[in-house]
Amino acid sequence: MIYFFSVLLFVCLIPTSALARPNIIMIMTDDQDSASMSVMTRTQSLIAEQGITFTNSLTNVALCAPSRSTFLSGQHHIHHHVMGNALPNGGYTKLDHTNTLRLWLQSAGYKTALIGKYVNRYGVDVPRTTVPPGWDFWHGNLNPDGYRAWDINHNGVIQSYRGYNTDHFTDVATSFITDQQQTDQPFFIWLTYDAPHYPALPAPRHAGRFAGIQLPVSFNESNVTDKPLSVQWPAITPAQFDEIRFLYQRRLESLLAVDEGVQQIIDALRSAGKLDNTVVMFTSDNGFYQGQHRILKNKEAYYEEAIRVPLLMRGPGIPVNQVRSQLISNVDLAPTIVALSGATARRTMDGKSLTPL
């Protein structure tokens, strides 16, 4: 009996990654503010209620390419050098793709997959057939925001599709998971949807679901002279208000297909016998303004609506139905994945692993 309890204590003290390295899935939306999580009931039920919600998760730069490069590097933009979405100071070619998270995971024995949007200007500033190093499975979107018609670089071959791209990316991800059923090799998937990025086209089955919904915030603060000149925006006109309200409606409707996709990912993991050993994370690259602070269809001012993003995660060793209010950043995501996987980072990361939380 003493021997049994000694062995049990020893096993309990071994990190989870030493017993069985978890599969890791990062589901990332584009321009999703935290408040819009209210319509994603499946995601709340299947990830938040089965894991942790981080309520103070901020993005270090409220812009796609710098934020995504931070996820891939664990560094702030001043260190990974992607300062914007396009040249001369930003975009795909400013990031050193020979030393990022997916290569560290690949070196640690993970099978890596990219499905959806990558870093801005991919396929524009480099040939469309480019497959960045470190990806075993590459299904890169060449037409971000082309919700109904898009081209894909599939492992170096250009393919054209019609339909609804959120559903397409979900189908590719679930097929990839099913294909891993007979192997014990751990995998990493970065599943990155266009929704709810402008023009935020919903799936036909969801169009009009939130027709007439009203904006949840007040506009047109009467006096903005106490604000920096860069954000002393003019008052919103009635026509602009109507445009913002309609975009707000479409953004919420476009997230419903993502919410269904989360359900399908969880179901695929369960069917493949992988759910109990998979960490599933959900976040966005940055938020978005929908009239708040008189800002129209933008995200680059440093107010809460643009820098606060959802972050949920579930998986082995992660407490169930918990909330963490500590201030964290997207710079912490790569260190967390490195810690969970047992990989070795080959950059000096600025963030810290969230595993102690």
Side-chain angles (χ1 to χ4, degrees):
M1 183 66 70
I2 293 174
Y3 172 78
F4 171 79
F5 283 112
S6 297
V7 171
L8 180 62
L9 177 62
F10 174 73
V11 170
C12 289
L13 291 175
I14 298 176
T16 301
S17 58
L19 294 172
R21 291 178 299 163
N23 310 303
I24 301 169
I25 300 177
M26 170 58 78
I27 303 172
M28 185 177 291
T29 51
D30 196 339
D31 284 6
Q32 182 182 0
D33 59 300
S34 290
S36 61
M37 286 300 302
S38 61
V39 304
M40 301 188 70
T41 56
R42 293 176 174 87
T43 304
Q44 295 280 8
S45 173
L46 295 169
I47 303 182
E49 293 177 15
Q50 300 302 316
I52 290 179
T53 299
F54 292 89
T55 57
N56 281 309
S57 175
L58 307 181
T59 184
N60 65 333
V61 176
L63 196 61
C64 298
S67 176
R68 289 163 184 266
S69 298
T70 288
F71 168 64
L72 290 168
S73 66
Q75 294 180 323
H76 291 298
H77 59 301
I78 58 172
H79 292 145
H80 62 59
H81 307 302
V82 183
M83 312 296 281
N85 279 345
L87 291 171
N89 298 316
Y92 174 92
T93 56
K94 297 297 289 186
L95 180 66
D96 178 6
H97 297 274
T98 66
N99 185 14
T100 57
L101 175 64
R102 76 286 186 138
L103 283 157
W104 310 337
L105 290 168
Q106 195 179 59
S107 296
Y110 275 72
K111 185 173 184 178
T112 59
L114 178 284
I115 301 168
K117 179 179 177 178
Y118 190 53
V119 177
N120 299 62
R121 303 289 292 182
Y122 165 73
V124 178
D125 296 335
V126 292
R128 287 157 59 87
T129 53
T130 300
V131 176
W135 296 103
D136 298 301
F137 180 93
W138 179 261
H139 198 76
N141 189 1
L142 293 164
N143 300 104
D145 313 323
Y147 285 85
R148 306 287 169 79
W150 64 98
D151 291 341
I152 291 289
N153 177 347
H154 180 77
N155 294 328
V157 178
I158 308 302
Q159 301 174 344
S160 296
Y161 294 90
R162 300 292 183 271
Y164 190 64
N165 69 3
T166 297
D167 295 340
H168 171 78
F169 296 138
T170 297
D171 290 344
V172 173
T174 56
S175 294
F176 179 89
I177 292 168
T178 300
D179 290 344
Q180 312 314 305
Q181 185 168 356
Q182 302 303 322
T183 178
D184 292 329
Q185 181 183 11
F187 59 82
F188 166 72
I189 302 174
W190 186 15
L191 172 58
T192 167
Y193 292 109
D194 286 347
H197 193 284
Y198 186 85
L201 299 180
R205 63 186 179 278
H206 298 137
R209 180 71 63 86
F210 298 117
I213 192 170
Q214 295 304 303
L215 289 161
V217 296
S218 299
F219 295 91
N220 289 340
E221 182 179 354
S222 60
N223 184 356
V224 295
T225 57
D226 60 328
K227 307 295 190 299
L229 288 175
S230 60
V231 290
Q232 288 187 18
W233 292 62
I236 295 173
T237 68
Q240 289 172 327
F241 183 89
D242 290 342
E243 180 184 3
I244 296 169
R245 192 217 61 79
F246 186 53
L247 178 60
Y248 173 64
Q249 171 189 323
R250 288 206 317 253
R251 282 170 54 84
L252 295 181
E253 290 169 350
S254 74
L255 287 169
L256 296 179
V258 176
D259 197 42
E260 293 171 350
V262 170
Q263 170 84 65
Q264 293 173 52
I265 295 298
I266 297 298
D267 288 347
L269 288 167
R270 184 179 290 109
S271 296
K274 302 289 186 180
L275 182 59
D276 291 342
N277 194 39
T278 300
V279 173
V280 181
M281 304 180 181
F282 182 94
T283 192
S284 176
D285 52 5
N286 49 255
F288 195 72
Y289 300 112
Q290 297 164 103
Q292 302 96 329
H293 317 288
R294 297 185 175 185
I295 300 174
L296 302 173
K297 295 184 294 185
N298 205 324
K299 55 195 175 188
E300 294 181 58
Y302 284 84
Y303 287 117
E304 292 284 319
E305 293 85 359
I307 63 173
R308 185 181 299 277
V309 294
L311 179 60
L312 322 171
M313 60 179 70
R314 64 167 286 172
I318 297 177
V320 173
N321 201 22
Q322 297 290 305
V323 174
R324 299 287 185 265
S325 60
Q326 288 88 345
L327 186 66
I328 63 170
S329 168
N330 59 337
V331 79
D332 300 320
L333 297 176
T336 302
I337 292 173
V338 166
L340 290 170
S341 64
T344 299
R346 298 197 293 273
R347 291 176 183 249
T348 301
M349 295 189 290
D350 297 318
K352 295 182 179 181
S353 171
L354 300 176
T355 53
L357 300 182

